Amino acid sequence: MIPTDQPRKHRRSKRYSWPDYAMGARAAHRCQVGLLAVAPDPHVAAWCAAPIETGIPGFVLCPPVLGREAVPIVTEPAEAARRPELAVLSALAHGSSEQGATIAAAVLPAIQELEEDRARFYGDLVLNSLNEAARRALEVIMKGYEYQSDFAKKYVALGRQEGERAILLRLLRARFGELPDAAVARVEGAETAALERWAERVLSAKTLAEVLDEPS
């Protein structure tokens, strides 16, 4: 399964790498393989469905494509727990819609029962699928759920921090212009308390250093 909503320059390389993925997996596992392109954007889905000519007679790769309209909207926690991968796909396809927060609220508690690495990966996919409005709505929804877990709390908090980081970076760029890589890295790695402290300094500070530097 390959998510494909990526910049155009990265998508072009898929015409060469997808046959390699398929045949490499076939050789490594000594079995038949399947390749599924997940493309919520209709234009990207149409691009993915185009046959890939490999140059080998008879070998034309025609990837099946899973578009947004084919993915069900999963909002029930019980269904998400029963089929967590489908629930994650639902978030990827519909996370930026009006139901994105409700989908995420069903998925996050469900995937906490999975092994840690898999749960973390799925959690990242779900949160990255949400827009800023959906993340704010998710925080409100999760506060009202009695079954809210430490796992879900962690990911809701991460979503809030990501929104705060994005806002702070926009404010800093508007105030001081293009930012050094080191400054961007500090903001992206900061905790909520630091983000709030720096945001309070943006308007009054005369330099970027006055915002980010901490008094000794």
Side-chain angles (χ1 to χ4, degrees):
M1 182 182 69
I2 304 174
T4 55
D5 282 0
Q6 300 174 356
R8 187 179 300 273
K9 65 179 182 180
H10 295 301
R11 293 205 305 266
R12 284 197 295 265
S13 68
K14 300 303 181 186
R15 313 301 293 178
Y16 297 95
S17 61
W18 283 358
D20 182 49
Y21 294 160
M23 293 303 96
R26 181 176 183 273
H29 300 288
R30 304 285 181 175
C31 65
Q32 293 183 341
V33 299
L35 180 132
L36 173 65
V38 179
D41 184 279
H43 298 291
V44 178
W47 177 89
C48 291
I52 299 175
E53 298 282 351
T54 64
I56 301 173
F59 182 13
V60 179
L61 184 62
C62 299
V65 180
L66 184 65
R68 178 183 288 117
E69 69 285 349
V71 180
I73 296 175
V74 178
T75 58
E76 292 297 326
E79 184 179 3
R82 187 166 58 252
R83 297 189 288 180
E85 283 76 16
L86 178 63
V88 173
L89 278 178
S90 182
L92 289 173
H94 307 290
S96 60
S97 70
E98 292 182 356
Q99 292 180 284
T102 306
I103 295 170
V107 177
L108 290 177
I111 62 178
Q112 68 174 313
E113 302 301 328
L114 306 176
E115 59 269 23
E116 184 177 354
D117 289 345
R118 187 174 162 207
R120 185 184 300 113
F121 176 63
Y122 285 171
D124 289 342
L125 287 177
V126 170
L127 281 181
N128 288 335
S129 73
L130 305 181
N131 57 26
E132 189 172 333
R135 289 186 180 192
R136 290 198 301 268
L138 174 64
E139 182 178 0
V140 174
I141 290 172
M142 296 304 289
K143 283 181 178 178
Y145 281 179
E146 293 182 1
Y147 63 74
Q148 183 182 21
S149 65
D150 290 339
F151 179 88
K153 288 179 182 178
K154 178 184 71 174
Y155 274 103
V156 170
L158 287 174
R160 184 176 66 247
Q161 287 178 356
E162 289 301 318
E164 291 172 347
R165 291 184 184 109
I167 293 171
L168 179 57
L169 287 172
R170 285 200 296 270
L171 290 173
L172 291 173
R173 289 188 176 106
R175 184 79 168 81
F176 303 109
E178 190 58 34
L179 304 175
D181 291 343
V184 174
R186 283 196 67 191
V187 173
E188 290 179 342
E191 298 295 332
T192 298
L195 295 173
E196 293 175 349
R197 187 166 61 250
W198 294 340
E200 292 175 355
R201 301 175 185 170
V202 170
L203 294 181
S204 60
K206 295 181 180 179
T207 66
L208 179 62
E210 290 183 19
V211 177
L212 300 182
D213 287 354
E214 302 293 352
S216 57

